Every structure is written in C-alpha cells, then in structure tokens.
Amino acid sequence: MEKMLIELMILTVVIHIVDTLAYSVRLNSVKSGQVALSFSLFNMFVLVSRTANMFQGPLIASIVGLSIAQGLNPISDLRSVIFAATAGTLFGILLIPTFLKIFEVAVKRLELAGSVPSLVVEALQANNIKRIVKSAVRPSKTMLERLRYREIPKRLLVINVLVTGIYTIGVLAANYSALLVPEQAALAAAASSGIINGMASILLTFFIDPKSAIITDQALKGIRPYADVKALVIMLIATKLIGTLLGQVLFLPAAQIIASFYM
C-alpha cells in the first residue's frame, strides 16, 4: 500500500504543477498576441494532467479498499495526498518563470513546425534538452511589484479558493466516506465524487472563467494594461495555493456530509 501511496502522491504533484502552470498561459497569450497557438500548445500539457487524473481515482479507491480490508483508517494517507496537491502547486509557482520562457520559444517553434508531435520530437533532441535545462529562471520579487491588485475582483478570488478546495478533496472525501456508511452503501458513497467535482465545475464555469476571460480579452484589445493580467494570474495562483490548504479543513466535513446522504 505504501508504494501505491507514493505513486498517488507523485501523480497528484504532477497534476497540480500542470494546473498551476495553466494560469500562466494567459500571460504568454496576451504578451505575444498568439492566443490560439498558445492554447493549442498548452493542450499537450493538459493531456499529461488528465492522463494522470485517470490513474488517480483507481489508486485512491485501492488505498481505501485495502484499508477497509485491513481494518485501518486511511485518513493520514489521504491527508498526505492533499499535502501533495499543495506541494505540486508550490513547485508549479517556482517553475512559472522558466515555463514562460520555454513556452514563448515553443509557441514560435510551433508556428514553424506546424504540429505538436513535430515540436515534441524536436524538443527531445539532446541539444534542445540541454538548452531547456540551461534556460531555468529563478522567481524574483520584481514579478510582484507595481501590480494593480485592486483591479482584480475580490469575489473572483474567494470563489477560486473554494473551487480549488473542493477539487482538491472531491475524490478523496467521496472515497473516505465509504468508511463512514453501511457496507451496502459504500460504493454509492465513493461514486459521489462526480457530483462534488461537478459542483466545483459549475462555480468555475459561471464565476471564474468568464471574468478571467474578460480581463484577458480587454488586455489584448488594449483596454487594460498587461499588468492587470499579470496581477490576475498571480492572485489566481495564490488563491489556488490557499485552496489546497483549505482542502485539509474541508476534507473530513465533506466526507461526513457525503456519508450522511447514505445513512
């Protein structure tokens, strides 16, 4: 079970690194003006995250199932997975300057290469791998200076904290709730993760994505300064980090609420 937990934590770190880097794509699209190319290339990174997500659910279910069979309480293991989400977000934040530098070059190369597979083959060449490693950039305080944080809607940030918290613990809480219900209801409780993540998706679709898109589009049209998009991205990433920490608080109450529907 320990091996599965380690695999699950690594997958969770990868998922949250990619999710964190996703926010920074807005910066490149506004700065370069190549919105379609930027998001086309980033779909490749999203594919990595979604593939990792496919394996995450079964691993969580296996850990909970083995714990039930052995009469153990897996709450500490599941909290470790939530911690991995926080760690992945932190790693993602540290990687953003390097990612943006590489991503900017990759978008330009994509325009010449004509396809993502060709770009991947080119990137995997030994010389290019060395260049990518050498292009690492440290985060600096100047990135956070003179930004118009007051222009970013506070409600947007609060909702992002909540949505991230729900996404972080949705599958974990649903699977843990299987321990809190009668045996015949365990599978139904574990399957409730789709409902929880669906609620988070609704909040994301109605409140976060539209407002973020408006700010980005206004910057592309010159109505807003680039600094507003930079402030938006930094605040969304910061609230995502807070959201993963909130997941530790929400985890057990969420599991108990799910279990209450099947008692």
Side-chain angles (χ1 to χ4, degrees):
M1 190 165 74
E2 185 177 346
K3 182 182 177 182
M4 282 193 293
L5 178 60
I6 293 171
E7 291 173 350
L8 178 57
M9 290 179 69
I10 292 171
L11 280 173
T12 303
V13 168
V14 170
I15 290 166
H16 282 270
I17 286 175
V18 176
D19 287 346
T20 302
L21 294 176
Y23 288 102
S24 66
V25 173
R26 294 180 187 276
L27 294 174
N28 180 270
S29 62
V30 173
K31 194 173 182 180
S32 67
Q34 295 174 300
V35 180
L37 273 175
S38 295
F39 281 97
S40 175
L41 179 58
F42 190 74
N43 283 338
M44 181 180 70
F45 295 94
V46 173
L47 181 62
V48 173
S49 176
R50 288 178 180 172
T51 302
N53 256 314
M54 288 170 58
F55 294 99
Q56 189 187 40
L59 281 172
I60 293 170
S62 296
I63 289 172
V64 173
L66 285 171
S67 297
I68 292 174
Q70 296 172 13
L72 302 174
N73 188 338
I75 189 166
S76 60
D77 291 339
L78 298 183
R79 287 197 181 279
S80 297
V81 177
I82 301 173
F83 173 76
T86 303
T89 303
L90 282 170
F91 281 131
I93 291 170
L94 295 174
L95 288 171
I96 283 175
T98 300
F99 173 76
L100 284 174
K101 186 176 179 181
I102 296 170
F103 193 79
E104 184 179 359
V105 174
V107 169
K108 292 176 181 177
R109 294 301 304 169
L110 177 60
E111 194 170 13
L112 297 173
S115 70
V116 171
S118 300
L119 183 65
V120 172
V121 171
E122 185 179 329
L124 291 176
Q125 294 175 3
N127 290 338
N128 288 329
I129 292 175
K130 290 178 182 177
R131 287 174 188 167
I132 290 171
V133 172
K134 289 180 180 179
S135 64
V137 180
R138 290 182 181 180
S140 63
K141 292 181 180 180
T142 57
M143 294 176 60
L144 306 176
E145 293 174 353
R146 297 187 299 275
L147 295 180
R148 293 152 43 105
Y149 295 112
R150 292 182 180 179
E151 300 299 319
I152 307 304
K154 302 304 179 288
R155 186 177 68 169
L156 178 74
L157 303 176
V158 172
I159 294 173
N160 196 51
V161 170
L162 180 60
V163 169
T164 303
I166 293 171
Y167 264 129
T168 301
I169 56 94
V171 178
L172 295 165
N175 277 276
Y176 184 74
S177 71
L179 292 168
L180 310 177
V181 298
E183 186 177 347
Q184 64 271 21
L187 287 175
S192 299
S193 60
I195 298 173
I196 298 172
N197 287 344
M199 291 169 58
S201 295
I202 291 170
L203 289 171
L204 185 71
T205 303
F206 279 91
F207 296 103
I208 298 176
D209 282 350
K211 189 61 181 177
S212 300
I214 289 170
I215 293 172
T216 305
D217 281 347
Q218 287 175 341
L220 280 166
K221 293 174 182 177
I223 300 172
R224 279 177 177 264
Y226 171 73
D228 279 11
V229 181
K230 196 172 180 181
L232 170 68
V233 169
I234 289 172
M235 294 303 290
L236 286 176
I237 290 171
T239 51
K240 171 177 164 49
L241 179 63
I242 295 169
T244 62
L245 295 171
L246 178 64
Q248 296 283 4
V249 178
L250 294 178
F251 171 63
L252 190 55
Q256 291 170 338
I257 290 170
I258 294 168
S260 69
F261 287 100
Y262 298 96
M263 298 299 285

